[in-house]
């Protein structure tokens, strides 16, 4: 007797995720189907990955064409796709150079190494090794990035973590001087926190971080793995703030579903790195680079970004119309929106499946809405109808 997909997964795949009770099979754009034929509107986009939706025809064609020409080279050789992607990333950002990785957490790890090398080069060994991150942050699950992700449930079994990491209060301007000191080599911050509950950093907070980093000789690193690539209504979230970092980490939507990470940096950072200081066998391969190049070009189109801004405003407006005493706040930027409730949102996510909605959380009581950037008003209408029905079905007396 053959095993079902769920049974086979439970038997052979390490169980590090709690999975939904169905098997996804195929999709197109905003719509995704399970193997039983049930239809869902995708308001998670694979955790901010499928920015152009499922099975975009142009992206699929780019991947197929490159795979039929050259699949893998390693970084011992030049390849046009890698050079072209790096060029378009630099042309659409503050960056002078790009380092390519395979994931977001790898990009963060690389940025940690680059920051340490800058400090080593400028100040000598052991003189300036401190790293500052913030409450509510999520930078990844590898050992360096985990040290900057201050959640006890993620960290407790894996200590000791990377040393010299301090966690400062997010959005607290007055606390910056206490944590960012002459011993600090880098500050890592998300312009909009994702996993932490969809919390935008204030302009004053980021401006003060920039000024303090300049004063003490530390690098400012923006983690735009989730909030970058058009998600907030500009290609990069920092563009709305007017604060330019020394490095920026990107991933998720950059690859349209294929794994990639990147560190964007100034020449001042890149200039300290030499051959052999870092590397990766798979990073920057021809197929993913062609896909990422096409993705950046699509998302950076002014019409696309205007659409994101328009749909983001509509989404927030409609969410604020939800007539429920359980809604505490609606917040976010562009199509990165969080709805805070006075209760655990797990029942809402589970009920969403029955109403044809794919929803995810950001912490226990925040519903995180990250639809593909191609979302249209009728999709938002369907979301609001579904959420209205779900909230109406809550048992009387449901509370936090």
């Amino acid at each position: 007797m053959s095993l079902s997909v769920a049974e086979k997964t439970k038997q052979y795949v390490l169980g590090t995720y709690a999975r939904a009770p169905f098997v996804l099979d195929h999709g197109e754009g905003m719509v995704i189907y399970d193997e039983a034929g049930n239809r869902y509107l995708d308001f998670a986009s694979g955790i901010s990955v499928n920015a152009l939706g499922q099975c975009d025809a142009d992206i699929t064609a780019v991947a197929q064409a490159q795979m039929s020409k050259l699949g893998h080279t390693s970084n011992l050789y030049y390849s046009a796709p890698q050079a072209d992607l790096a060029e378009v990333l630099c042309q659409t950002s503050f960056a002078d150079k790009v380092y390519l990785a395979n994931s977001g957490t790898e990009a963060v790890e690389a940025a940690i190494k680059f920051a340490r090398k800058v400090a080593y080069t400028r100040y000598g060994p052991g003189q300036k090794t401190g790293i500052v991150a913030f409450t509510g942050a999520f930078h990844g699950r590898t050992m360096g990035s985990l040290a900057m992700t201050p959640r006890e449930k993620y960290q407790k079994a894996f200590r000791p973590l990377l040393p010299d990491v301090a966690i400062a209060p997010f959005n607290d301007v007055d606390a910056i001087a206490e944590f960012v000191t002459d011993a600090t080599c880098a500050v890592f911050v998300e312009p909009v926190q994702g996993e932490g509950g969809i919390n935008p950093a204030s302009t004053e907070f980021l401006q003060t971080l920039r000024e303090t980093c300049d004063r003490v000789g530390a690098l400012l690193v923006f983690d735009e793995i989730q909030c970058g690539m058009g998600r907030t209504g500009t290609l990069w979230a920092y563009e709305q703030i007017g604060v330019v970092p020394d490095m920026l980490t990107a991933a998720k939507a950059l690859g349209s579903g294929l794994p990639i990470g990147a560190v964007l940096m100034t020449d001042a950072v890149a200039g300290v790195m030499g051959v052999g200081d870092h590397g990766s066998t798979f990073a920057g391969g021809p197929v993913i680079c062609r896909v990422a190049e096409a993705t950046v070009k699509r998302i950076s189109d002014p019409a696309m970004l205007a659409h994101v801004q328009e749909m983001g405003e509509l989404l927030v407006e409609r969410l604020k119309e939800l007539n429920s005493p359980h809604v505490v706040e609606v917040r976010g930027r562009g199509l990165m929106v969080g709805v805070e409730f006075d209760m655990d949102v797990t029942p809402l996510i589970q009920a969403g499946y029955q109403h044809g909605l794919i929803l995810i959380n950001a912490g226990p009581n925040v519903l995180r809405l990250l639809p593909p950037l191609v979302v249209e008003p009728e999709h938002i209408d369907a979301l609001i109808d579904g959420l209205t029905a779900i909230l109406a079905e809550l048992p009387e007396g449901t509370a936090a």
Side-chain angles (χ1 to χ4, degrees):
M1 182 177 179
S2 61
L3 297 174
S4 70
V5 172
E7 290 169 337
K8 190 182 296 185
T9 301
K10 291 175 182 177
Q11 181 164 336
Y12 296 112
V13 177
L14 183 65
T16 56
Y17 283 87
R19 298 177 190 263
F22 48 81
V23 178
L24 294 179
D25 184 74
H26 64 283
E28 183 177 1
M30 277 288 301
V31 180
I32 193 164
Y33 297 85
D34 65 22
E35 64 177 4
N38 296 308
R39 178 184 185 273
Y40 306 90
L41 284 179
D42 183 6
F43 275 85
S45 58
I47 316 181
S48 198
V49 169
N50 299 316
L52 300 175
Q54 290 285 341
C55 302
D56 179 84
D58 293 340
I59 296 299
T60 300
V62 167
Q64 290 174 335
Q66 183 58 50
M67 193 65 193
S68 66
K69 181 180 180 182
L70 186 68
H72 174 72
T73 62
S74 88
N75 285 296
L76 297 176
Y77 310 97
Y78 294 110
S79 72
Q82 185 177 108
D84 292 342
L85 171 60
E87 179 183 39
V88 76
L89 285 171
C90 289
Q91 289 178 342
T92 56
S93 74
F94 70 93
D96 301 306
K97 292 286 193 302
V98 173
Y99 172 80
L100 296 173
N102 301 292
S103 66
T105 196
E106 286 183 54
V108 172
E109 295 288 338
I112 293 170
K113 288 184 68 175
F114 300 166
R116 287 274 176 88
K117 182 68 184 293
V118 168
Y120 179 93
T121 303
R122 293 178 181 173
Y123 302 99
Q127 298 302 304
K128 198 176 181 67
T129 59
I131 292 170
V132 175
F134 296 94
T135 54
F138 185 94
H139 296 291
R141 298 177 190 264
T142 49
M143 294 302 283
S145 60
L146 183 60
M148 302 189 301
T149 299
R151 286 172 178 68
E152 181 65 14
K153 66 178 182 178
Y154 294 159
Q155 292 184 346
K156 64 181 179 180
F158 305 105
R159 295 190 176 100
L161 303 173
L162 181 75
D164 294 342
V165 175
I167 303 299
F170 183 68
N171 261 344
D172 187 336
V173 174
D174 294 334
I176 290 174
E178 176 186 348
F179 286 88
V180 183
T181 69
D182 290 335
T184 304
C185 74
V187 174
F188 284 73
V189 64
E190 299 159 89
V192 183
Q193 289 186 337
E195 301 285 337
I198 313 298
N199 298 307
S202 73
T203 298
E204 182 186 9
F205 179 67
L206 294 179
Q207 286 175 339
T208 306
L209 280 178
R210 177 73 277 175
E211 294 164 2
T212 307
C213 285
D214 289 342
R215 178 171 52 79
V216 304
L219 300 183
L220 180 59
V221 186
F222 282 176
D223 182 336
E224 295 209 16
I225 288 165
Q226 187 167 153
C227 66
M229 285 297 294
R231 177 55 59 184
T232 65
T234 48
L235 184 62
W236 306 111
Y238 79 83
E239 296 177 75
Q240 300 175 40
I241 305 158
V243 177
V244 180
D246 300 292
M247 287 191 280
L248 180 152
T249 57
K252 290 191 182 290
L254 180 58
S256 282
L258 296 181
I260 187 173
V263 184
L264 284 59
M265 71 197 82
T266 63
D267 272 334
V269 176
V272 308
M273 299 300 293
V275 173
D277 278 347
H278 199 47
S280 170
T281 297
F282 289 103
V287 178
I288 183 54
C289 282
R290 280 293 180 230
V291 167
E293 178 195 2
T295 303
V296 174
K297 288 179 176 179
R298 283 276 296 281
I299 294 177
S300 62
D301 183 277
M304 171 66 85
L305 295 172
H307 177 78
V308 173
Q309 293 169 15
E310 181 184 356
M311 291 301 100
E313 291 171 3
L314 178 62
L315 177 58
V316 169
E317 177 186 323
R318 295 302 314 280
L319 287 167
K320 288 182 176 179
E321 294 172 0
L322 287 173
N323 185 25
S324 172
H326 295 293
V327 176
V328 175
E329 184 182 14
V330 178
R331 57 179 179 262
R333 287 192 183 139
L335 287 171
M336 186 176 185
V337 178
V339 185
E340 183 178 343
F341 288 83
D342 68 352
M343 56 177 284
D344 189 321
V345 296
T346 302
L348 307 183
I349 293 169
Q350 294 172 340
Y353 303 143
Q354 307 306 314
H355 290 268
L357 297 172
I358 299 287
L359 305 168
I360 58 174
N361 68 319
N365 67 326
V366 176
L367 200 63
R368 176 171 30 165
L369 298 169
L370 303 166
L373 306 185
V374 295
V375 66
E376 295 290 348
E378 59 265 29
H379 303 133
I380 294 173
D381 290 342
L383 168 72
I384 300 303
D385 289 345
L387 286 176
T388 299
I390 291 166
L391 291 168
E393 293 164 3
L394 287 175
E396 189 173 344
T398 300

